[in-house]
Amino acid sequence: MDSVLQRELEKLTNDSVAFRAIEGHRHHTWARTYSSRPELYIQPESHDEIRKVVTLARRCRKRITLVGSAHSPSDLTCTSSWMVNLDRYNKVTSVDEARKVVVLQSGIRLHQLGLELRKLGLAMPNLGSIDDQSIAGAISTATHGSTLRHGILSQSVLALRIMLSNGNTVLCSTEQSSDLFSAALVSLGALGIITEVTLQAVPLFNIEWEQSIQPLSHILDTWSGNLWTQAEWVRVWWCPYGKKGIVWKADKTGKPSRGKKARSWYGGWVGFHTYQALLYAAQWMPRLLPGIEWFVFGMQYGFGYGVCDSAVEEGRKGLLMDCLYSQFVNEWALPLSKGPEAISRLQAWLDDDQPTSRIPFSPHGIYIHSPIEIRVSDTSLYIPKPHLDPSHPTEPTLYLNATLYRPYNRNPPCRGRYYQAFEYLMKDLGGRPHWAKNFTTVTRDEIWGMYPRIGEWASVRDQVDPEGMFVGDWHQRLILPPGDANQEGPRESKDSRPTTTHSPILLKPLNGGDGTEELASTTSEESFDLMHGAEAEGSLFLQGIVSDHEDGVPLPSPSP
């Protein structure tokens, strides 16, 4: 154990608050695209335990990186310092049934939340493609679904409690410290630890969904018509070699649940392993990929056009999809009106028609994986709009997702040039990359040019975490101004090696008295503690909202 940490722990011998940390943890993303070895992996189970982690990190000059399910395939969650996971801080703490408002501990996973809400006859208004993320992680990275009737998931958030680097917990909402709220709705884990989320739920609902195979020409012809408005949820999986797409649409319904008409081919054992083996063979014979697309999606959805499947399911299940294998995911947000141009130019590039594509990278010899996912949202009327919301500010947003599978954890050979060309096209059309995905050619200067309010976000970040406790290598490389929060401290490390096993060493929990006052003190070597309690209370953002107690704070009014 680090000697400075050992010394600080010894000072708290009368403290009964546990410090649940292990050494030797090997962290990796869900897709095993990046991994790192944090000095400590910490899983607090209470608010006081979270405060203890923050206080010890401040005293020991350690950076904190927050991680949930690690479903982001980027190195955003990689660190060589302290890694904090809130999986054990995962309860629904209060419910206002009349207003359908729930208060949650921030570590709860979306699938757990769905089950808890179901017991109350409630549901989340919208979901993305998976429900493995923690609620805090989904909010912090601008997770979205595919519907023009909803924005990003944080649109349903009414208030947040955040523990800052000085150990104080603050409440923010549209009515209280709104600048901090707008920054925290897409925080990227760089402001503090979100400890509590107040969420606007809706009545429990079923959806009736239908999917059909349609020619790409028909999809483009109906793009500005009813393609995206024909149902509450609509998404498209584009198969570029077959020049067709699978259009999936869903609406709420009062009908009882009804299973799928057709069984998922690659959801079964034979299809799952056959598909991965074919992708693996294509690592050495990329010319197989057009044929693999025809075969696999023919087996999954059918070889002709028209409706291929339908079902009635609970919304919390029916809105999800199977991610299948390890993958790189490169998703960008564009104005919805740019969709036909984006698809047509990328299709031309994949067809080896570089002049029509106007993409200055050769497509010769490049074969990609299918499908390319197309989703939508609309946050143009949403107030407040998060400072770092990647969606378009004045019209609906298109999300174009270039996924590349990693069969048996091997990187596809086309990734470098394909992502170079894809990102060039996205930038050319005014796109913004999804924060949690694998964008590869974007610089800090480009990101600052994409986000008019990023300066406001950075200003809030600097005020609530002046010493950069929650800043990692990813933030310094891609989003913070040069020199910002670049104080001495451990640099973050990551690699792409497979995970190895380890034997965790449990650090002994501390026993003793209450310890709350001691944790908030400034008597030790608290190098990060530049904003003490009194300063916090006088801060522009924190005035009147320091709230270390869980009761006595009124909930904001739900959205109309």
Side-chain angles (χ1 to χ4, degrees):
M1 186 190 302
D2 178 81
S3 60
V4 177
L5 173 59
Q6 183 67 54
R7 186 171 69 247
E8 293 298 335
L9 285 170
E10 290 172 354
K11 293 177 181 179
L12 302 176
T13 54
N14 294 324
D15 177 12
S16 62
V17 179
F19 183 60
R20 305 177 192 275
I22 61 172
E23 297 174 306
H25 177 78
R26 178 67 175 267
H27 165 74
H28 62 79
T29 61
W30 171 84
R32 297 179 180 268
T33 45
Y34 291 95
S35 67
S36 64
R37 293 185 182 273
E39 180 182 344
L40 291 179
Y41 181 73
I42 310 165
Q43 290 188 296
E45 297 181 7
S46 70
H47 188 268
D48 285 345
E49 289 183 17
I50 296 172
R51 180 188 282 120
K52 183 168 187 171
V53 171
V54 170
T55 301
L56 288 170
R58 184 175 66 247
R59 294 179 179 184
C60 298
R61 289 192 58 80
K62 300 295 182 180
R63 291 181 180 159
I64 290 176
T65 294
L66 302 162
V67 63
S69 65
H71 235 281
S72 166
S74 78
D75 60 324
L76 175 60
T77 59
C78 290
T79 182
S80 57
S81 192
W82 289 8
M83 179 173 289
V84 174
N85 171 270
L86 299 181
D87 278 354
R88 298 175 183 174
Y89 192 68
N90 61 355
K91 304 294 189 297
V92 175
T93 58
S94 68
V95 180
D96 184 332
E97 294 187 22
R99 296 194 299 161
K100 301 177 179 61
V101 173
V102 293
V103 181
L104 326 161
Q105 293 178 341
S106 61
I108 192 167
R109 298 288 185 97
L110 295 185
H111 62 86
Q112 294 175 300
L113 175 56
L115 291 172
E116 293 299 319
L117 291 178
R118 187 178 188 273
K119 297 174 186 177
L120 302 167
L122 300 175
M124 292 185 66
N126 188 27
L127 279 171
S129 295
I130 59 173
D131 63 354
D132 295 320
Q133 314 101 308
S134 68
I135 185 68
I139 292 167
S140 297
T141 54
T143 297
H144 62 90
S146 190
T147 166
L148 292 185
R149 300 186 199 176
H150 303 274
I152 59 177
L153 262 58
S154 61
Q155 181 177 344
S156 301
V157 174
L158 301 179
L160 295 169
R161 284 186 191 272
I162 307 173
M163 185 171 292
L164 306 180
S165 59
N166 63 1
N168 280 336
T169 304
V170 300
L171 178 72
C172 58
S173 68
T174 57
E175 301 168 359
Q176 186 169 330
S177 193
S178 58
D179 283 347
L180 177 58
F181 189 56
S182 294
L185 285 174
V186 181
S187 71
L188 303 175
L191 304 182
I193 300 178
I194 295 174
T195 60
E196 185 180 272
V197 179
T198 302
L199 185 74
Q200 180 66 62
V202 298
L204 186 67
F205 62 89
N206 281 359
I207 59 169
E208 182 173 24
W209 61 259
E210 177 186 276
Q211 59 193 19
S212 59
I213 304 173
Q214 300 178 12
L216 180 60
S217 58
H218 177 75
I219 292 171
L220 296 179
D221 288 344
T222 58
W223 190 276
S224 300
N226 72 337
L227 176 63
W228 300 110
T229 58
Q230 60 184 307
E232 183 167 356
W233 288 275
V234 182
R235 60 189 173 205
V236 175
W237 294 288
W238 166 29
C239 299
Y241 296 115
K243 295 182 173 57
K244 62 185 179 182
I246 297 93
V247 178
W248 184 94
K249 62 180 182 179
D251 273 313
K252 293 188 180 80
T253 181
K255 297 178 182 179
S257 296
R258 171 178 56 79
K260 302 175 184 179
K261 294 179 180 178
R263 184 177 180 182
S264 171
W265 179 74
Y266 50 54
W269 190 91
V270 172
F272 180 88
H273 291 288
T274 299
Y275 188 14
Q276 184 163 209
L278 290 171
L279 290 171
Y280 186 74
Q283 299 281 90
W284 288 271
M285 295 176 284
R287 291 179 181 272
L288 293 175
L289 286 169
I292 292 172
E293 178 195 279
W294 172 83
F295 172 73
V296 168
F297 292 98
M299 294 295 292
Q300 177 72 12
Y301 300 106
F303 292 93
Y305 293 117
V307 175
C308 54
D309 204 358
S310 64
V312 177
E313 299 181 274
E314 283 189 53
R316 67 183 181 88
K317 295 180 179 178
L319 293 172
L320 307 179
M321 61 171 287
D322 188 349
C323 291
L324 293 175
Y325 320 112
S326 170
Q327 57 195 247
F328 291 109
V329 186
N330 197 343
E331 183 179 68
W332 286 61
L334 301 167
L336 183 61
S337 59
K338 296 286 189 179
E341 180 182 353
I343 292 169
S344 298
R345 288 175 63 183
L346 187 55
Q347 180 71 69
W349 190 80
L350 293 171
D351 290 342
D352 211 6
D353 183 359
Q354 192 173 359
T356 300
S357 74
R358 305 194 303 281
I359 296 174
F361 300 97
S362 172
H364 183 68
I366 293 294
Y367 296 90
I368 68 166
H369 298 165
S370 299
I372 297 171
E373 186 181 36
I374 306 170
R375 295 186 288 170
V376 294
S377 75
D378 190 357
T379 60
S380 60
L381 300 179
Y382 172 47
I383 298 174
K385 194 171 181 64
H387 294 332
L388 297 185
D389 183 353
S391 60
H392 198 271
T394 60
E395 70 168 270
T397 298
L398 158 72
Y399 298 95
L400 208 56
N401 182 5
T403 296
L404 289 172
Y405 292 115
R406 302 179 63 245
Y408 307 112
N409 295 320
R410 288 185 174 270
N411 295 341
C414 65
R415 180 168 69 113
R417 199 169 357 138
Y418 175 39
Y419 278 2
Q420 236 182 350
F422 179 73
E423 293 185 16
Y424 174 87
L425 177 61
M426 296 298 100
K427 294 176 191 177
D428 193 45
L429 295 175
R432 297 169 172 174
H434 190 301
W435 290 114
K437 304 299 174 67
N438 295 113
F439 53 93
T440 60
T441 67
V442 184
T443 65
R444 179 195 290 114
D445 289 343
E446 286 176 317
I447 285 178
W448 275 70
M450 293 172 182
Y451 288 88
R453 300 185 66 190
I454 193 171
E456 297 175 56
W457 181 88
S459 176
V460 172
R461 205 224 68 77
D462 287 346
Q463 293 190 55
V464 298
D465 181 24
E467 285 286 289
M469 178 186 290
F470 298 101
V471 169
D473 178 76
W474 186 96
H475 302 101
Q476 294 189 50
R477 188 175 75 244
L478 290 171
I479 193 169
L480 295 183
D484 193 347
N486 196 28
Q487 72 284 353
E488 291 183 12
R491 291 289 292 175
E492 314 306 325
S493 65
K494 70 272 182 186
D495 57 54
S496 55
R497 295 185 297 248
T499 298
T500 58
T501 58
H502 66 276
S503 300
I505 305 171
L506 279 172
L507 300 183
K508 185 178 179 181
L510 300 172
N511 298 305
D514 176 72
T516 301
E517 292 298 323
E518 188 171 6
L519 288 175
S521 73
T522 58
T523 56
S524 187
E525 301 160 23
E526 299 179 355
S527 303
F528 282 106
D529 197 8
L530 296 189
M531 184 186 287
H532 306 307
E535 294 169 318
E537 292 171 4
S539 165
L540 170 66
F541 296 103
L542 309 184
Q543 187 172 11
I545 60 172
V546 174
S547 177
D548 288 328
H549 300 288
E550 300 300 320
D551 55 354
V553 180
L555 293 175
S557 301
S559 302

